[in-house]
Amino acid sequence: MDFLEYSWLIPLFPLLGTVLMLFFGRALERAHGRGLISVLCPGLVGVSFVFSLGAALQLAQQPARLFEKTVFTWVPGLPFHLANGQLARFEAAWGILVDPLSAVMILVVSFVGFLIHVYSVGYMAHEGGYYRYFGYLNLFMFNMLTLVLANNYLLMFVGWEGVGLCSYLLIGFWFQRKSASDAGKKAFVVNRVGDAGFLLGILLTFATFGTVAFTRVNEAARSGLFHSGDAALTAITLLFFIGATGKSAQIPLYVWLPDAMEGPTPVSALIHAATMVTAGVYMVARSNVLFSMAPASMKVVAIIGALTAIFAASIGLVHNDIKRVLAYSTVSQLGYMFLACGVGAFGAGIFHLSTHAYFKALLFLGAGSVIHALGGEQDLRKMGALRHKIPWTYRFFLIAALAIIGAPPLAGFFSKDEILWQAWSNPEHGWWLLWLVAFLTAGMTAFYMWRLVFLTFFGKSRVDHEVEHHIHESPKVMLVPLGVLAALSVVGGWLGWPKSLGGSNRFEQWLAPVFDGHPHAVQAAAVEPHFEAAEYTLMVLAIALAAAGVYLAYHLYVRRPEKSDQLQAQLQPVHTLLLNKYYVDELYSAVFVEGPVMGKQLGSALSQFDARIVDGGVNGAGWLTRMTSRLSIFWDTWAVDGAVRLLGFTTKVASFPVRMIQTGFVQSYALLIVLGVLSFLGYYLFR
């Protein structure tokens, strides 16, 4: 079977599940129970993975490693004036692009998404809205797969908005809880800010290049008509990055992601590992030609990524909600990916995106297994000593915790080490500071992740007495996906085994056709040749720092737990600041929600303007018409009929309101005109 030719079907399989669930799900659940839904919805995502795997294997056999297909013309040619004054036609096709980058993305999205669907069968077994949940989950997959397979920016924006909608639906899935509905709205509103930037960037892209198709935009950028640092390219890429900060939760639009924990835990895994938050990183990597020609934008991406990484990691040091610690970890790891893209190591950024998908999905699903065992408890202070009671969850979680801190030879070691090396070896003056920030973040990551591990699985049990008797291991339908993700967390990074350790970095070679060969681009992050001694030194330092972070967490939370209380008391102002997330939410609320210029007051003023001016004008026009009609009735009934009676006529003249003769029929108007003319002629003839 030609999987490449039919790769446009990949997003449609989960869309079929969405249609069945949202239109017929309740009837199917009543007629067949939950068994059919439990097979159908994960199965359709599994079919998408099979098609994705087949397309990737066939793509590898093609010399050009590029397949593009137009399914149909979506937006016909609309006239549009370009920035240079020329008239062009705005066209967009519903088309797909399968190249090494999109192949990696569809494999990661479909396979990790499939595992999360299977896990959800067990996790959501006793929850209401079962068919609705899987309908939303399938819709999420459709939109994300559309986003990564799109061959143009406009179609990408459709998937981009679609995953935003699905995040709103799934974060607020338990809409009976005010916290969940508020979190869904927060995610939706914050992302609208970033989406506005992305949309403006798309429009400016067309105004500059006359097209929104990826391949033609790249060809135009490489044509020699544009130079490095061109103002239009800088503006486009900065607008794109504004969109990326929203979807991928970077400073200043990161605030929605920690609150996304209000949704079911499998939803958190899907958002954080495989779908929504990776969209911004993918979009920047897909636009690598434009970013490579905009050095100023590259610096912004790198700096924001590094600052977000250490900022979020610092908050994760003190939080006690198991899912929120993982949420801030995601924000921090996304910062690593943007740092890689900002220093020109787009391949390293996508490599870390893929390995992160495995161990972060494992961490969230493992946390879900803990929460499931404890009857919904998420507070680390009410856990402890669980490693013997839920042993399989503990083992899998341990693997994920080792992978995320970069323990060799697990997946995170290879991808994070590559980012640190690329930041260190970048020739840009002063960029070693970005390496230092990322290096310190790695140490903080080791500390807060193993603080979570020790508080959850080690030490004395702090579980409530009534809960302790009901602790149980998760069912196999939840444990099997954990086992598969654990295996990927171990071996998933071996594809990027570096040359300095005797490998060939096949992952980088696979992506080379997408990220290499920009003849007119300034390599803003061209790296020096790998000096093995320097790279070995950096590896050893990173491993040593991670080990130090793990030991410090062990010392404070297992060996001498009273020390953690003493340290917290000594650093109370700092602890309070971190626990309140630097008061950023309060600041945003004061400025953008409660402030006089924006937020509620502005919304109220605009609402009054709409009600009194806009609606008032429309309603006033209708009122005026009605009053005019009523006056005509009054004149016709009382003035005309009264005059007739005064003149002595005995026959009552029927009232004939003006509004009743406005029939809209030309024949009626012609008849009235003829009758009027005959009336005038009769009057003059018989006068």
Side-chain angles (χ1 to χ4, degrees), residues 329-448:
S329 169
T330 299
V331 177
S332 181
Q333 295 300 309
L334 289 166
Y336 268 105
M337 299 174 205
F338 280 110
L339 171 61
C341 293
V343 300
F346 296 101
I350 296 299
F351 185 31
H352 194 55
L353 182 153
S354 62
T355 60
H356 176 264
Y358 308 141
F359 55 71
K360 184 50 63 69
L362 179 56
L363 286 169
F364 267 108
L365 297 185
S369 185
V370 172
I371 295 168
H372 181 267
L374 298 179
E377 183 59 66
Q378 297 182 197
D379 194 334
L380 294 171
R381 294 168 296 185
K382 296 182 179 180
M383 299 181 187
L386 293 176
R387 67 184 187 277
H388 299 303
K389 298 179 179 179
I390 46 175
W392 283 108
T393 298
Y394 162 67
R395 294 180 187 123
F396 295 143
F397 202 95
L398 205 64
I399 292 172
L402 288 170
I404 195 173
I405 69 172
L410 278 68
F413 167 73
F414 298 102
S415 59
K416 190 159 64 174
D417 176 74
E418 184 66 18
I419 293 174
L420 290 172
W421 169 250
Q422 296 284 5
W424 170 267
S425 58
N426 192 285
E428 288 285 333
H429 178 69
W431 280 40
W432 64 271
L433 289 172
L434 298 181
W435 169 85
L436 181 61
V437 171
F439 180 72
L440 295 175
T441 302
M444 297 166 69
T445 302
F447 176 80
Y448 70 69

Side-chain angles (χ1 to χ4, degrees), residues 32-352:
H32 304 282
R34 295 186 171 184
L36 178 61
I37 298 173
S38 301
V39 173
L40 181 64
C41 292
L44 288 170
V45 179
V47 174
S48 290
F49 169 69
V50 171
F51 271 68
S52 300
L53 182 61
L57 292 175
Q58 291 181 357
L59 183 71
Q61 299 172 3
Q62 293 191 352
R65 292 186 191 171
L66 179 69
F67 176 82
E68 189 169 8
K69 179 183 178 65
T70 298
V71 181
F72 61 88
T73 300
W74 174 33
V75 179
L78 302 174
F80 194 98
H81 285 283
L82 301 180
N84 57 12
Q86 295 181 351
L87 182 65
R89 290 191 172 276
F90 185 87
E91 295 180 349
W94 195 284
I96 61 167
L97 175 66
V98 184
D99 65 357
L101 177 58
S102 58
V104 168
M105 293 300 298
I106 57 177
L107 287 172
V108 170
V109 171
S110 60
F111 188 63
V112 176
F114 168 70
L115 294 176
I116 293 172
H117 274 69
V118 174
Y119 178 95
S120 295
V121 172
Y123 192 87
M124 300 294 291
H126 305 293
E127 297 289 342
Y130 193 75
Y131 71 91
R132 179 168 57 91
Y133 170 83
F134 276 99
Y136 292 163
L137 221 58
N138 273 196
L139 183 62
F140 213 144
M141 296 299 298
F142 162 73
N143 285 300
M144 189 64 192
L145 290 169
T146 299
L147 188 155
V148 298
L149 279 173
N151 71 341
N152 62 81
Y153 284 108
L154 193 61
L155 183 55
M156 176 189 275
F157 189 72
V158 172
W160 187 276
E161 290 296 288
V163 294
L165 169 64
C166 293
S167 69
Y168 168 76
L169 295 173
L170 285 167
I171 293 169
F173 178 77
W174 288 316
F175 54 84
Q176 301 93 337
R177 305 178 186 172
K178 187 177 186 303
S179 58
S181 60
D182 287 347
K185 288 185 288 186
K186 185 176 183 179
F188 192 82
V189 171
V190 172
N191 272 276
R192 297 291 72 73
V193 178
D195 295 352
F198 186 28
L199 183 58
L200 290 173
I202 294 172
L203 296 175
L204 185 56
T205 298
F206 180 81
T208 303
F209 299 107
T211 181
V212 291
F214 298 140
T215 53
R216 285 189 281 173
V217 167
N218 292 343
E219 290 172 1
R222 295 168 175 168
S223 65
L225 299 177
F226 299 91
H227 58 83
S228 176
D230 189 286
L233 298 181
T234 301
I236 289 171
T237 49
L238 287 177
L239 287 170
F240 281 175
F241 185 59
I242 290 173
T245 59
K247 277 291 179 289
S248 294
Q250 298 295 285
I251 293 173
L253 301 179
Y254 71 93
V255 291
W256 68 271
L257 192 56
D259 288 355
M261 299 302 97
E262 293 292 338
T265 302
V267 171
S268 303
L270 191 63
I271 292 175
H272 286 246
T275 55
M276 184 168 174
V277 298
T278 63
V281 180
Y282 169 75
M283 184 264 286
V284 171
R286 173 58 70 193
S287 309
N288 67 89
V289 174
L290 300 181
F291 276 92
S292 295
M293 297 181 67
S297 299
M298 295 279 281
K299 291 180 180 178
V300 171
V301 173
I303 293 170
I304 293 295
L307 292 178
T308 302
I310 197 168
F311 179 84
S314 67
I315 299 175
L317 296 173
V318 300
H319 267 272
N320 296 309
D321 186 302
I322 187 172
K323 288 174 64 176
R324 285 186 180 269
V325 173
L326 297 179
Y328 282 107
S329 169
T330 299
V331 177
S332 181
Q333 295 300 309
L334 289 166
Y336 268 105
M337 299 174 205
F338 280 110
L339 171 61
C341 293
V343 300
F346 296 101
I350 296 299
F351 185 31
H352 194 55

Side-chain angles (χ1 to χ4, degrees), residues 338-558:
F338 280 110
L339 171 61
C341 293
V343 300
F346 296 101
I350 296 299
F351 185 31
H352 194 55
L353 182 153
S354 62
T355 60
H356 176 264
Y358 308 141
F359 55 71
K360 184 50 63 69
L362 179 56
L363 286 169
F364 267 108
L365 297 185
S369 185
V370 172
I371 295 168
H372 181 267
L374 298 179
E377 183 59 66
Q378 297 182 197
D379 194 334
L380 294 171
R381 294 168 296 185
K382 296 182 179 180
M383 299 181 187
L386 293 176
R387 67 184 187 277
H388 299 303
K389 298 179 179 179
I390 46 175
W392 283 108
T393 298
Y394 162 67
R395 294 180 187 123
F396 295 143
F397 202 95
L398 205 64
I399 292 172
L402 288 170
I404 195 173
I405 69 172
L410 278 68
F413 167 73
F414 298 102
S415 59
K416 190 159 64 174
D417 176 74
E418 184 66 18
I419 293 174
L420 290 172
W421 169 250
Q422 296 284 5
W424 170 267
S425 58
N426 192 285
E428 288 285 333
H429 178 69
W431 280 40
W432 64 271
L433 289 172
L434 298 181
W435 169 85
L436 181 61
V437 171
F439 180 72
L440 295 175
T441 302
M444 297 166 69
T445 302
F447 176 80
Y448 70 69
M449 280 306 310
W450 280 82
R451 170 181 175 267
L452 185 152
V453 170
F454 292 136
L455 287 175
T456 304
F457 297 103
F458 290 81
K460 297 180 180 179
S461 176
R462 300 175 301 279
V463 180
D464 292 339
H465 181 70
E466 60 272 15
V467 175
E468 195 164 9
H469 297 288
H470 302 286
I471 297 175
H472 59 283
E473 185 61 276
S474 298
K476 290 183 179 179
V477 73
M478 295 170 63
L479 290 178
V480 170
L482 292 180
V484 176
L485 289 169
L488 288 172
S489 298
V490 174
V491 305
W494 293 1
L495 285 173
W497 201 290
K499 295 179 181 178
S500 59
L501 294 178
S504 58
N505 204 336
R506 293 183 178 180
F507 195 91
E508 184 177 329
Q509 293 178 12
W510 169 256
L511 292 175
V514 181
F515 298 134
D516 290 348
H518 307 162
H520 299 287
V522 172
Q523 298 298 331
V527 297
E528 299 175 2
H530 277 56
F531 296 107
E532 291 188 359
E535 190 167 3
Y536 291 154
T537 302
L538 293 178
M539 286 181 186
V540 172
L541 286 175
I543 294 171
L545 183 64
V550 174
Y551 176 77
L552 181 60
Y554 172 77
H555 182 75
L556 292 176
Y557 296 99
V558 178

Side-chain angles (χ1 to χ4, degrees), residues 600-655:
K600 291 183 179 179
Q601 294 188 30
L602 178 61
S604 178
L606 293 176
S607 175
Q608 292 296 322
F609 176 82
D610 180 69
R612 296 181 179 181
I613 306 301
V614 179
D615 289 351
V618 174
N619 295 335
W623 176 85
L624 182 62
T625 303
R626 290 195 303 271
M627 288 304 298
T628 304
S629 176
R630 289 168 182 168
L631 288 173
S632 67
I633 296 172
F634 174 80
W635 170 260
D636 187 51
T637 304
W638 296 99
V640 176
D641 286 0
V644 169
R645 291 191 188 95
L646 289 174
L647 291 173
F649 289 97
T650 57
T651 304
K652 186 179 185 311
V653 179
S655 64

